[in-house]
Amino acid sequence: MKLPKLAAALLAASLLTGSAFAMKPVTIVDQGSFLAGGTIVTAPGNYKGSTEPTNNAGETLHGDHAYVFYQKPKNAHHNSLVFLHGYGQSAKTWETTPDGQLWYNNFRIGQWPDYNANAAVPRDEASRDQFFRAMTPDTGAFDEKVVVQAMTAVFEKAGDGVLITHSAGGGPGWGTAMASSHVKGVIALEPGTFPFPAKGTAVSMDDFMKLTRIPIIVYFGDNIPKGDTPVANWSEDNWRVRWNLAKKWEAVMNKYGGHVQVVSLPDIGIKGNTHFMMADLNNEDVANAMEKWMKENGLAK
């Protein structure tokens, strides 16, 4: 199946509905879904369709593929926007803002049951309920290689594009960018890991250098302590460590000729963002910053 250009995986158009180019109604000329990548496991024995199957003999199981929903707007640009969600999430993460308490604290909404004073989130009970119901339990072991293979297959179908990752999607996102020449840029929203050539999530130097050839920007939200001194609140300290690692990775990448920016949104005037900056009340500002960066790097074409 040949996909239309700007076939945005995981409901790409929805994140940018508040951006500068989408303040008026968006005309969608095509939409659909497809499965990409995956493996097939066949049970021992011979399958006989004429008799009732026993012990699943000869039957097949198809899995490890990516389910992709796409939309093509009128006057679509050349590059697709391909979205990869994070841990405990699904494509629902990218669809709309929302109109276990562990997630609540760790993702900097506040300290349960309170909100951070500047958190750009709705405060009504219905929205809080929607937030928790958007969580998706992980039913199997996390295998980054499987995700990379599936996402590489997505790009084979979608063509050239910008990969936008969130949280735990950042790790396989780097792997996808190293594996597919169709990834022309990466926007990472608070990724959990970074690929160093010799430390951290170690990769080969050849693969590491592939990332230096494309523009990359990493965004972090608000309420993240800065500096080398640990803080008592474990969830805040978790993000302090990730921010410091991101800045070290930025320095190493650019030392080897990369084009990497690690940005704290409050430093550019976008304040109050949680870990779910694409669903916060000020996501329009976040989307505009992303669009501006894509234009500056020749990706909005």
Side-chain angles (χ1 to χ4, degrees):
M1 175 177 63
K2 183 178 181 181
L3 293 178
K5 290 299 180 182
L6 203 65
L10 306 185
L11 203 59
S14 63
L15 177 66
L16 300 181
T17 52
S19 67
F21 59 79
M23 294 300 288
K24 56 185 179 181
V26 176
T27 300
I28 301 298
V29 298
D30 188 23
Q31 69 177 31
S33 63
F34 63 92
L35 301 172
T39 56
I40 303 173
V41 178
T42 304
N46 297 316
Y47 177 74
K48 297 180 180 180
S50 60
T51 60
E52 183 178 356
T54 59
N55 300 322
N56 304 115
E59 294 189 9
T60 58
L61 175 67
H62 294 62
D64 295 341
H65 46 257
Y67 168 78
V68 181
F69 176 78
Y70 69 86
Q71 292 181 318
K72 178 185 177 182
K74 186 178 180 180
N75 300 321
H77 293 182
H78 171 76
N79 284 329
S80 302
L81 300 179
V82 181
F83 288 68
L84 177 59
H85 62 77
Y87 188 84
Q89 299 294 297
S90 69
K92 174 63 178 172
T93 294
W94 304 107
E95 290 181 9
T96 60
T97 56
D99 292 348
Q101 280 84 318
L102 171 68
W103 295 110
Y104 193 94
N105 293 359
N106 194 31
F107 292 159
R108 306 192 315 280
I109 295 173
Q111 297 302 304
W112 181 265
D114 299 320
Y115 295 93
N116 285 330
N118 67 342
V121 296
R123 308 297 173 101
D124 60 284
E125 286 303 315
S127 295
R128 180 180 282 186
D129 181 70
Q130 286 290 298
F131 168 75
F132 284 122
R133 292 187 185 280
M135 299 299 168
T136 303
D138 291 297
T139 56
F142 177 71
D143 190 328
E144 184 169 305
K145 191 174 295 184
V146 168
V147 181
V148 170
Q149 290 172 345
M151 291 303 296
T152 301
V154 170
F155 272 95
E156 286 300 311
K157 288 181 175 288
D160 294 349
V162 178
L163 176 59
I164 303 172
T165 67
H166 176 235
S167 193
W174 305 130
T176 303
M178 288 184 277
S180 176
S181 61
H182 288 299
V183 179
K184 300 303 181 183
V186 176
I187 299 174
L189 309 181
E190 297 197 353
T193 60
F194 298 89
F196 289 85
K199 58 184 178 179
T201 306
V203 297
S204 70
M205 181 58 74
D206 285 345
D207 281 342
F208 177 80
M209 291 303 294
K210 291 175 184 177
L211 292 180
T212 67
R213 299 168 191 152
I214 60 174
I216 297 171
I217 192 163
V218 180
Y219 290 109
F220 282 86
D222 215 328
N223 300 307
I224 298 177
K226 303 299 194 300
D228 296 325
T229 304
V231 297
N233 186 311
W234 73 272
S235 58
E236 291 182 356
D237 198 57
N238 165 58
W239 291 106
R240 178 191 66 83
V241 171
R242 293 180 191 276
W243 166 261
N244 287 345
L245 183 62
K247 294 301 289 184
K248 291 176 181 177
W249 180 74
E250 174 190 43
V252 173
M253 283 286 292
N254 291 336
K255 173 184 175 181
Y256 283 94
H259 309 277
V260 174
Q261 294 174 259
V262 175
V263 177
S264 173
L265 288 174
D267 291 346
I268 61 173
I270 303 176
K271 300 181 179 181
N273 284 104
T274 70
H275 185 54
F276 293 95
M277 60 188 70
M278 64 289 213
D280 290 335
L281 295 175
N282 62 352
N283 67 346
E284 178 182 330
D285 297 328
V286 179
N288 285 339
M290 292 165 58
E291 182 188 5
K292 180 175 181 289
W293 177 83
M294 286 191 288
K295 286 181 176 179
E296 291 172 347
N297 286 276
L299 297 171
K301 59 181 182 179

